[in-house]
Each structure stands twice: as C-alpha cells, then as structure tokens.
Amino acid sequence: GAFKGSAALLVSPNPTQTNVTIEYQGAFFNYTLYNTLGQLIATDKTNLEKAVISLNEYAKGIYLIEVEIGTDKIRKKLIIE
C-alpha cells in the first residue's frame, strides 16, 4: 500500500527566506536538497526527529527536498523567496 508517512512530515516555513525546518514525528531520517536543475546541493543524516537547513547561500527559486525514512522516500517542494 501507499506510504502513510508523508502526513507526519512537516516542512516549514514554506515559502521561506532564511532557513527551513524538516520535522518527522517518530523516526530519524536523511534528507537531500535539490535545486531546479536536479543538482544535489545539501544532504544530511539526522539522529533526531528534526533538522534545520540554512538557506542563506541559495538563490531564490523552487527546490526539492527528498526525505528518506527507512526504505521510504517522500519529496516535497520548497520555495525560497
């Protein structure tokens, strides 16, 4: 069946200007941030249920956050303005 975890994933604020918090209740996760060209610009493994990414060095635009929880992957669009 479909992975239900996307409801537990919080990405805020979105749109954002300076940083974004990824929060997933109940599990550690890895995240990867891609730009509009699909280039990997940030990646990290967490041992918490929350990660804060500083976005100051990135240009305005639409980005893609891919969050990996175990074998499941969730993608969310992130807007930097």
Side-chain angles (χ1 to χ4, degrees), residues 9 34 64-67 73-77:
L9 179 67
Y34 297 96
L64 189 70
I65 294 177
E66 184 177 82
V67 177
K73 287 184 180 175
I74 306 169
R75 291 191 174 102
K76 289 227 180 204
K77 196 182 286 184

Side-chain angles (χ1 to χ4, degrees), residues 9-43:
L9 179 67
L10 300 174
V11 176
S12 67
N14 190 7
T16 184
Q17 292 173 342
T18 53
N19 55 41
V20 66
T21 301
I22 304 173
E23 206 168 344
Y24 187 86
Q25 294 297 323
F28 301 159
F29 58 86
N30 305 339
Y31 70 81
T32 311
L33 184 63
Y34 297 96
N35 65 15
T36 46
L37 302 175
Q39 296 167 318
L40 190 157
I41 56 173
T43 184

